[in-house]
């Protein structure tokens, strides 16, 4: 009796998740989906999403890898505070993140005097999309990379040092390969979070077609304009990508384990 109740509850939750997602795929015929996804608005949103997420992921890897290594290996005053600060964007509402970025880098923000002198405008530009994605996505990579570096036995790095390799060569040729499954998994999650970002982007970058309009923003605009079919087609793309990312992340987690 108890097992039947547990199974029923589990089945209900699975159906609650699966049915709405399935209706997205059932909403459009393949021909209609193909026509919508190749429309100028859809292609523009796809281009912005690909370009901005590629740049934000590159910055995440470049800046997040050394940070994760320091957090995993070093002990210094304020380490716990830095660790908590890096994780904070994961739990902060995206709209709050966007408002914080606007207050910091907007036209009248904290850095406005410096940006004005340099004749640089960040808010409501493509650069703002990258910054929003970096803000919300990078913590997922840092968390995974930090865990990956922490699990590496230092005996391998010590052996590399005895063979004459310097710290940088040891890091690149020994540490990074050993942590690669965790790094790859974190990168996949960070990219997925950046791709699906909505709240921080619309607050800090706006929803400008061909400039700041990513796929999630295009879905929102399609509903706002009454073009439900376009919104559904773009949503199918996002769900399909998300499904592929979940499968890939699971495979990487198993390999890391």
């Amino acid at each position: 009796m108890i097992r039947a109740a547990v199974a029923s509850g589990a089945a209900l939750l699975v159906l609650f998740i699966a049915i709405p997602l399935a209706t997205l795929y059932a909403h459009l015929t393949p021909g209609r989906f193909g026509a919508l996804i190749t429309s100028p608005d859809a292609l523009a949103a796809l281009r912005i999403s690909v370009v901005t997420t590629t740049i934000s992921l590159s910055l995440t890897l470049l800046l997040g890898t050394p940070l994760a290594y320091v957090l995993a290996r070093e002990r210094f005053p304020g380490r716990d505070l830095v660790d908590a600060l890096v994780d904070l964007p994961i739990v902060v509402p995206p709209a709050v993140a966007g408002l914080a970025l606007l207050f910091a880098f907007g036209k009248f923000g904290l850095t406005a005097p410096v940006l004005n002198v340099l004749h640089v405008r960040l808010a409501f530009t493509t650069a703002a999309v990258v910054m929003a994605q970096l803000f919300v996505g990078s913590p997922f990579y840092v968390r995974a990379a930090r865990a990956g570096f922490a699990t590496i036995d230092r005996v391998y790095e010590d052996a590399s040092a005895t063979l004459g390799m310097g710290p940088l060569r040891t890091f690149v040729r020994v540490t990074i390969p050993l942590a690669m499954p965790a790094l790859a998994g974190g990168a996949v999650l960070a990219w997925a979070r950046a791709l699906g970002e909505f709240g921080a982007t619309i607050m800090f970058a706006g929803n400008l077609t061909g400039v700041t309009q990513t796929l999630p923003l295009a879905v929102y605009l399609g509903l706002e304009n009454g073009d439900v079919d376009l919104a559904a087609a773009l949503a199918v793309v996002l769900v399909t990508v998300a499904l592929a990312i979940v499968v890939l992340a699971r495979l990487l987690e198993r390999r890391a384990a």
Side-chain angles (χ1 to χ4, degrees), residues 144-157:
R146 179 183 59 199
F149 287 135
T151 58
I152 296 175
D153 193 334
R154 297 198 182 192
V155 67
Y156 299 108
E157 296 169 321

Side-chain angles (χ1 to χ4, degrees), residues 16-246:
F16 176 74
I17 296 172
I19 289 175
L21 296 177
T23 58
L24 287 175
Y25 288 89
H27 182 77
L28 299 171
T29 63
R32 177 63 172 159
F33 171 78
L36 289 168
I37 208 62
T38 55
S39 65
D41 288 345
L43 291 176
L46 180 61
R47 178 181 62 84
I48 292 295
S49 288
V50 170
V51 170
T52 55
T53 54
T54 300
I55 296 173
S56 65
L57 179 59
S58 300
L59 291 173
T60 295
L61 298 177
L62 179 65
L63 303 176
T65 302
L67 175 58
Y69 184 81
V70 169
L71 291 175
R73 294 297 184 84
E74 304 296 333
R75 295 294 180 267
F76 55 88
R79 176 186 174 279
D80 290 340
L81 178 61
V82 173
D83 203 8
L85 186 63
V86 171
D87 287 344
L88 196 58
I90 295 176
V91 295
V92 166
V96 175
L99 188 62
L101 289 169
L102 194 61
F103 283 172
F105 303 105
K107 184 177 180 180
F108 303 103
L110 179 65
T111 61
V114 176
L115 295 177
N116 290 336
V117 170
L118 298 174
H119 301 288
V120 173
R121 184 171 69 93
L122 294 175
F124 303 104
T125 65
T126 306
V129 179
V130 174
M131 294 171 69
Q133 292 172 348
L134 180 65
F135 187 89
V136 302
S138 59
F140 290 89
Y141 173 75
V142 174
R143 283 171 62 92
R146 179 183 59 199
F149 287 135
T151 58
I152 296 175
D153 193 334
R154 297 198 182 192
V155 67
Y156 299 108
E157 296 169 321
D158 294 339
S160 174
T162 61
L163 294 174
M165 287 191 183
L168 182 58
R169 289 184 67 191
T170 297
F171 180 74
V172 173
R173 301 186 64 177
V174 177
T175 307
I176 290 292
L178 289 173
M180 186 53 69
L183 300 183
V188 168
L189 292 176
W191 182 80
R193 181 64 185 86
L195 180 66
E197 167 50 35
F198 176 83
T201 304
I202 200 169
M203 291 286 290
F204 183 47
N207 191 5
L208 308 174
T209 303
V211 180
T212 67
Q213 187 180 100
T214 57
L215 286 173
L217 297 183
V219 171
Y220 173 77
L221 186 63
L223 288 175
E224 284 286 294
N225 293 339
D227 195 346
V228 178
D229 286 353
L230 177 61
L234 296 175
V236 166
V237 173
L238 287 170
V239 171
T240 303
V241 171
L243 178 61
I245 288 170
V246 168

